[in-house]
Amino acid sequence: MSELSDGWEMVIGLEVHVELATKSKLFCGCSNSFGDQPNTNVCPTCLGLPGSLPVVNAQAVQYAMTLGRAIGCTVSPSVFARKNYFYPDMPKDYQTTQYDQPTNEDGSLELPDGTVIGIERAHIEEDTGKSTHLGGGGRIHDATATLVDYNRAGVPLVEVVTRPELTSADEARAYVAELRDILIATGVSDARMEEGSMRVDANVSVRPTGDAELRTRCEIKNINSLRSLGRAINYEARRHVALYEAGEAPSQETRHWDEDGGRSTSGRSKEDADDYRYFACPDLPPLAPTPAELAAIDEAMPVLPGRRRSALASAAGVSMAETSLAVERGLDTFALDAIAAGGQGISVMKHVDQNLADGVGVMTAESFAALVALEADGALSATQVKTVLYEMVASGGQPADIAASMGFEAMDNSELESLLDQLIADNPDEWARFAEGDSKVQGFFVGQIMKATQGKADGKIVNQLMSAKAKA
Ligand code: ADP
Ligand code: MG
Ligand code: ZN
């Protein structure tokens, strides 16, 4: 769904930087860990001291290739390159990255709704250090001093670059969420946006709907939450439309997203590749994975979220999108087991989504299936089912035993009916409104009955009784 005024469409390409879950850095033995005292995980190599030499981390390469295969890329022999630029958080004055021969190229990622997003490349590079600008607005321009922490310098990254194919903020968010789930499933990264182990640059442009040609883009750097990503994209696209409609045009530049202010601000005008004077790094040999190594990676690949969703969707009889939450919570195997044990698919999914956000605790799939059956039989009301469910999650046990020990028996319909008759007699005006079709008062009657029965009544049956009485 586009957030733009009529006649305009968005074009979005994402560059996602992912920190790999290695123990050590990309080219030295320093620890790769987040949150340590500044400048404690450093050595001559990651500080770029003269005479130091890099040695590539085999685990990092393994993770990068695993990610590449997980997103359908071709994994090819690759070459490290130097990207030359000066910045205080980059002690060598160049970043070791990959340029024209990246490890992974030409893949794709399928979103839960079936949309396929093309991936240009997913290359290996090192992270920079982290600058903290003091004073002013946290930006370098008006800073009084800048602190630099080199613990992050040389941390292994993979940068995953999409084709300019995303069409809305929602789609961009779904893409990043799916990539995060794949990273977690493969163990390649902990993908924690809030700790910066997954950072997103969003390239945004707009064009008249249906135009084939791409227009000038702006790149919003270092977005660190899904919420910011969506807001930043919508803001930026609207800014472009406003410029075009005023007879102006955006200029190609990087921009910063200001979450509090709800706007993006101009960064630097964007360098062209020429300005970086890329060349192959003479200190590092090319990477040449063997067919056996690639086969071993495919062999060890866990079942990915997309396949897990489709398996659960067909077992439960729901759509792929309706299985997202279960897969995200890692409850898909549990749900499949419960369905195999006789639990009705839609009810199983309803509980997994609505009542099991904190996991299943010590509850077994079989006892859960038994509870779902009790609910389907009408032996327990919805409120009672929830109470029993939470008890099973906390302490285990069988639903029938727990229900009995809690004194839950299904209420007799005739008992419910006489309660309802009493309520109608006590509240004739409300009842008249209900009978005339005002469904808003329905909740009042159900609520009163629940109160009188301490939640033992089955809301569905109360609703049925009310409709029957109103028609009678
Ligand atoms: P750079 O290396 O300068 O960042 P790339 O050509 O590698 O440039 O593109 C980076 C990202 O920008 C990619 O995700 C790509 O899909 C996206 N992109 C390129 N052109 C546009 C455009 N006109 N509108 C939106 N996104 C774009
Ligand atoms: Mg870029
Ligand atoms: Zn080091």
Side-chain angles (χ1 to χ4, degrees):
M1 185 191 62
S2 174
E3 303 275 337
L4 291 183
S5 50
D6 274 359
W8 293 97
E9 65 183 18
M10 293 186 204
V11 179
I12 304 156
L14 298 179
E15 300 166 84
V16 181
H17 288 89
V18 174
E19 284 185 1
L20 303 180
T22 53
K23 292 205 170 59
S24 56
K25 293 187 182 180
L26 185 52
F27 299 121
C28 62
C30 290
S31 172
N32 169 19
S33 68
F34 176 81
D36 290 351
Q37 277 287 101
N39 297 308
T40 51
N41 300 324
V42 291
C43 75
T45 298
C46 58
L47 287 175
L49 299 188
S52 60
L53 286 170
V55 177
V56 71
N57 180 333
Q59 179 68 66
V61 176
Q62 175 89 12
Y63 279 153
M65 294 191 297
T66 300
L67 174 56
R69 298 297 297 169
I71 53 180
C73 288
T74 306
V75 180
S76 309
S78 56
V79 171
F80 285 105
R82 292 186 180 179
K83 181 182 185 182
N84 297 280
Y85 65 99
F86 172 79
Y87 205 77
D89 63 16
M90 208 183 49
K92 295 187 299 190
D93 285 353
Y94 61 82
Q95 180 189 27
T96 306
T97 178
Q98 296 177 325
Y99 184 49
D100 50 1
Q101 295 181 68
T103 294
N104 305 301
E105 278 182 291
D106 207 10
S108 65
L109 187 148
E110 186 176 346
L111 304 182
D113 72 0
T115 309
V116 176
I117 306 301
I119 291 175
E120 248 165 55
R121 51 196 267 137
H123 62 267
I124 306 174
E125 63 185 24
E126 61 181 342
D127 209 343
T128 60
K130 188 169 169 45
S131 304
T132 305
H133 304 300
L134 303 180
R139 304 272 308 277
I140 195 166
H141 314 293
D142 34 24
T144 52
T146 294
L147 306 176
V148 191
D149 176 8
Y150 292 109
N151 284 352
R152 204 179 68 182
V155 161
L157 300 177
V158 167
E159 179 176 343
V160 185
V161 183
T162 73
R163 299 190 193 286
E165 290 182 356
L166 295 140
T167 57
S168 71
D170 284 347
E171 213 168 78
R173 284 210 311 264
Y175 167 84
V176 173
E178 186 65 15
L179 184 59
R180 181 185 59 198
D181 290 352
I182 290 172
L183 290 165
I184 292 169
T186 51
V188 163
S189 173
D190 62 18
R192 290 194 187 126
M193 287 189 94
E194 68 286 0
E195 288 185 1
S197 57
M198 188 174 180
R199 307 191 290 272
V200 183
D201 300 342
N203 295 270
V204 180
S205 65
V206 300
R207 63 184 171 192
T209 306
D211 255 25
E213 214 156 306
L214 293 174
R215 293 201 174 189
T216 303
R217 68 183 149 117
C218 289
E219 179 177 356
I220 310 162
K221 303 291 281 183
N222 284 329
I223 299 170
N224 58 9
S225 74
L226 290 182
R227 177 183 146 81
S228 296
L229 177 65
R231 293 182 71 205
I233 287 171
N234 284 329
Y235 175 89
E236 187 62 18
R238 286 191 201 113
R239 194 179 70 84
H240 285 211
V241 169
L243 283 170
Y244 287 124
E245 286 183 343
E248 296 168 51
S251 44
Q252 181 163 329
E253 60 183 359
T254 63
R255 297 180 69 85
H256 298 270
W257 174 245
D258 167 10
E259 177 67 33
D260 297 331
R263 62 200 195 101
S264 67
T265 55
S266 182
R268 56 181 160 85
S269 66
K270 178 84 185 173
E271 284 90 345
D272 284 323
D274 288 352
D275 300 326
Y276 290 123
R277 304 173 320 282
Y278 282 100
F279 63 90
C281 180
D283 292 336
L284 287 160
L287 301 175
T290 64
E293 282 173 306
L294 294 180
I297 286 174
D298 288 344
E299 183 78 20
M301 190 69 71
V303 185
L304 296 174
R307 284 250 308 279
R308 289 162 57 187
R309 276 196 301 267
S310 58
L312 184 53
S314 63
V318 299
S319 72
M320 291 270 276
E322 286 169 312
T323 62
S324 290
L325 207 50
V327 170
E328 212 168 279
R329 289 180 178 158
L331 292 180
D332 48 320
T333 307
F334 181 85
L336 284 171
D337 290 348
I339 291 166
Q344 199 266 339
I346 290 171
S347 308
V348 165
M349 294 306 294
K350 181 194 75 183
H351 285 297
V352 166
D353 284 0
Q354 294 173 11
N355 303 324
L356 295 172
D358 299 322
V360 298
V362 294
M363 176 170 67
T364 64
E366 291 70 28
S367 59
F368 176 52
L371 177 65
V372 169
L374 286 179
E375 185 180 25
D377 292 349
L380 293 174
S381 74
T383 319
Q384 292 172 334
V385 167
K386 260 201 201 175
T387 310
V388 173
L389 181 65
Y390 293 141
E391 179 59 24
M392 289 164 66
V393 169
S395 325
Q398 289 304 319
D401 301 342
I402 296 170
S405 75
M406 289 180 159
F408 292 165
E409 307 129 54
M411 290 210 51
D412 207 297
N413 277 4
S414 62
E415 219 176 309
L416 269 184
E417 203 171 343
S418 57
L419 261 173
L420 183 59
D421 286 338
Q422 187 59 51
L423 263 179
I424 291 171
D426 292 346
N427 303 279
D429 295 347
E430 282 80 0
W431 180 252
R433 274 165 59 202
F434 176 75
E436 281 156 20
D438 180 355
S439 59
K440 277 186 298 231
V441 286
Q442 185 154 10
F444 164 76
F445 284 99
V446 177
Q448 290 298 313
I449 296 229
M450 287 302 174
K451 208 162 130 196
T453 61
Q454 278 134 21
K456 271 177 157 187
D458 186 331
K460 249 196 318 219
I461 298 198
V462 178
N463 286 335
Q464 281 163 11
L465 279 174
M466 284 176 65
S467 313
K469 277 193 188 298
K471 282 195 200 106

